[in-house]
């Protein structure tokens, strides 16, 4: 089974907007100097699997043993740890030029204003019509396990809340008791300010906001001494695969809760598989039909096949979907004669990522 498999790592750090892209196009005019011809390529289907990986960092506070006793917190972080988990999975159908499918559109001299739009890779977009750049064709698994990407704000320095009484407390148990008392004192101070019972109220609303914000910052910093800290950081990893046939349990990459995404041959992680199964293929050609197709002249375009895609781990699927695959399809031709009517110039639109015919307007 022939197959190209490329592993690409992109660490985009919580910036989903960087994941979208557009196809850049360029206008090519068929002139006498070019022999009234424009050369283009048809694509091969390249499937790009994008995986969202969330890195969870847990840091225990020094007083975690007393979190429930003094603050009633039962889920305090009890040990430092770094864990990774898989988030959203998406699939992009990204065409790449096929070196064996390069053609020249030959217009006759009498053709009305012949021009072609090609992508920057030389893939066919339109004939005699402007080409609107398309988005990247990314599809997202509806049943992917996704947590909202976030990174907790950097915590304030704990040194600012270590009062003399706290520093002088002998044992850790005594320190925890003093810290808890400071937390409750801060809460009482906030309530007094908000209800107007404080002896020295801020002079105006803006000053009150500043005082309340500082008190909340101190309370949060002290509370983290008991509850610990939890932070999340999101990265994105791409795996590109160019299938030539069905794929069964093809290892895209490996994943470890301790190490994150790993290469497919790194046994430190559990495999993440892809199953690709063709569900629409053209019938096999007879020798005469194959010979006729080899002699086709005109604008050659693709008629892609279709396949189901399942990506998953040993625990089960994390992505299901369908995708068009050029390698599972065939090709057809638009006759040159259809472009020779001066009164009714024909406009043809294609899907650049698959080379498939989209629309003909006359």
């Amino acid at each position: 089974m022939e197959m190209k498999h490329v592993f690409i790592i992109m660490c985009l750090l919580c910036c989903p907007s960087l994941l979208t892209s557009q196809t850049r196009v360029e206008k090519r005019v068929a002139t006498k100097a070019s022999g009234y011809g424009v050369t283009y390529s048809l694509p091969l289907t390249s499937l790009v699997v994008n995986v969202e990986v969330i890195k969870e960092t847990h840091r225990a506070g020094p007083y975690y043993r007393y979190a429930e006793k003094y603050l009633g917190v039962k889920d305090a972080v009890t040990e430092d740890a770094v864990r990774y988990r898989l988030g959203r999975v998406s699939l992009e159908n990204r065409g790449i030029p096929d070196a064996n499918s390069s053609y020249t559109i030959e217009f006759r001299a009498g053709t009305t204003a012949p021009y072609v739009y090609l992508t920057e890779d030389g893939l066919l977009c339109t004939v005699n019509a402007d080409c609107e750049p398309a988005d990247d064709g990314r599809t997202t698994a509806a049943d992917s396990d996704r947590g909202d990407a976030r990174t907790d704000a950097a915590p304030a320095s704990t040194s600012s809340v270590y009062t003399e009484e706290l520093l002088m407390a002998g044992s850790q148990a005594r320190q925890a008791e003093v810290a808890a008392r400071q937390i409750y004192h801060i809460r009482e101070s906030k309530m007094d300010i908000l209800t107007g019972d404080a002896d020295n109220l801020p002079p105006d609303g803006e000053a009150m906001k500043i005082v309340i914000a500082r008190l909340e910052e101190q309370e949060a910093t002290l509370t983290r001494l008991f509850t610990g800290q939890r932070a999340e950081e999101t990265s994105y990893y791409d795996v590109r695969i160019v299938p030539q046939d069905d794929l069964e349990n093809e290892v895209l990459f490996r994943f470890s809760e301790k190490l994150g995404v790993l290469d497919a041959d790194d046994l430190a992680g559990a495999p993440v598989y892809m199953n690709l199964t063709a569900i629409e293929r053209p019938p096999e050609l007879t020798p005469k039909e194959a010979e006729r197709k080899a002699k086709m002249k005109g604008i050659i375009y693709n008629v892609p096949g279709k396949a189901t895609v399942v990506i998953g781990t040993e625990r089960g699927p994390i992505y299901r979907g369908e995708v068009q695959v050029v390698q599972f399809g065939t090709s057809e031709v638009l006759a040159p004669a259809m472009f020779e009517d001066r009164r009714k110039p024909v406009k043809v639109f294609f899907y650049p990522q698959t080379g498939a015919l989209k629309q003909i307007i006359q």
Side-chain angles (χ1 to χ4, degrees):
M1 180 185 301
E2 295 183 6
M3 183 269 299
K4 296 178 182 177
H5 192 177
V6 180
F7 185 76
I8 309 169
I9 298 182
M10 297 189 301
C11 189
L12 303 182
L13 297 182
C14 302
C15 207
S17 62
L18 296 179
L19 292 175
T20 57
S21 61
Q22 288 190 327
T23 302
R24 295 172 57 188
V25 294
E26 181 180 349
K27 186 176 182 179
R28 305 284 180 87
V29 180
T31 62
K32 184 176 181 180
S34 64
Y36 295 100
V38 175
T39 300
Y40 67 96
S41 295
L42 289 178
L44 286 173
T45 293
S46 166
L47 301 178
V48 179
V49 180
N50 180 267
V51 182
E52 182 183 66
V53 178
I54 297 94
K55 176 184 178 181
E56 299 178 346
T57 303
H58 293 182
R59 299 196 182 282
Y63 310 144
Y64 72 87
R65 294 183 179 88
Y66 309 97
E68 185 173 3
K69 177 179 179 180
Y70 291 120
L71 302 183
V73 176
K74 297 182 179 181
D75 62 345
V77 177
T78 59
E79 61 180 355
D80 293 351
V82 176
R83 299 185 182 91
Y84 296 84
R85 58 184 172 86
L86 292 175
R88 182 177 60 177
V89 175
S90 62
L91 181 68
E92 179 188 349
N93 189 338
R94 186 183 299 172
I96 57 174
D98 183 357
N100 298 319
S101 296
S102 183
Y103 304 95
T104 299
I105 303 175
E106 296 181 351
F107 296 95
R108 294 185 181 180
T111 302
T112 303
Y115 64 93
V116 173
Y117 269 97
L118 304 179
T119 70
E120 58 183 339
D121 293 330
L123 303 178
L124 188 59
C125 186
T126 62
V127 177
N128 291 340
D130 291 338
C131 181
E132 292 294 331
D135 61 24
D136 65 1
R138 189 182 304 273
T139 57
T140 302
D143 57 348
S144 295
D145 175 20
R146 184 190 180 182
D148 290 337
R150 69 177 180 87
T151 300
D152 288 355
S157 172
T158 57
S159 61
S160 62
V161 296
Y162 279 101
T163 62
E164 181 179 357
E165 183 183 5
L166 184 57
L167 291 171
M168 294 297 293
S171 66
Q172 193 174 73
R174 174 61 179 161
Q175 290 177 349
E177 181 183 352
V178 173
R181 191 163 61 245
Q182 286 183 227
I183 291 174
Y184 287 112
H185 178 69
I186 290 172
R187 291 176 181 177
E188 290 175 2
S189 298
K190 284 196 304 180
M191 183 60 65
D192 289 343
I193 292 173
L194 293 173
T195 58
D197 293 334
D199 293 334
N200 297 307
L201 288 172
D204 53 42
E206 190 62 32
M208 179 181 290
K209 289 181 181 179
I210 294 173
V211 171
I212 293 295
R214 288 177 178 173
L215 289 174
E216 289 179 342
E217 182 180 345
Q218 290 178 350
E219 180 186 352
T221 303
L222 283 166
T223 300
R224 279 193 290 267
L225 298 177
F226 293 88
T227 62
Q229 301 172 31
R230 293 179 173 89
E232 290 187 358
E233 182 180 340
T234 303
S235 301
Y236 297 89
Y237 298 85
D238 278 358
V239 181
R240 182 194 299 270
I241 191 167
V242 183
Q244 299 299 333
D245 206 338
D246 290 354
L247 300 176
E248 183 177 358
N249 292 335
E250 180 69 29
V251 178
L252 297 176
F253 59 93
R254 290 178 180 268
F255 183 78
S256 165
E257 290 186 355
K258 294 183 178 181
L259 302 174
V261 174
L262 305 170
D263 288 336
D265 57 356
D266 191 334
L267 301 182
V272 177
Y273 302 100
M274 171 186 279
N275 288 315
L276 183 74
T277 306
I279 56 176
E280 288 184 14
R281 290 182 185 261
E284 291 189 14
L285 300 178
T286 65
K288 283 188 177 182
E289 290 172 332
E291 183 180 356
R292 178 184 62 82
K293 280 213 164 187
K295 296 179 180 179
M296 289 190 304
K297 291 186 178 181
I299 300 178
I300 312 296
Y301 63 93
N302 287 330
V303 181
K306 186 181 291 185
T308 59
V309 180
V310 179
I311 300 171
T313 66
E314 295 175 350
R315 298 178 181 177
I318 57 177
Y319 177 93
R320 293 181 184 272
E322 292 186 357
V323 65
Q324 290 185 324
V325 181
V326 169
Q327 291 87 311
F328 295 168
T330 185
S331 57
E332 293 294 340
V333 63
L334 296 176
M338 66 186 297
F339 298 96
E340 296 177 3
D341 191 336
R342 291 173 178 266
R343 294 169 298 177
K344 297 180 180 180
V346 174
K347 297 180 179 180
V348 187
F349 299 81
F350 300 89
Y351 294 101
Q353 300 302 329
T354 61
L357 182 63
K358 181 178 182 181
Q359 187 180 23
I360 298 177
I361 299 177
Q362 187 167 19

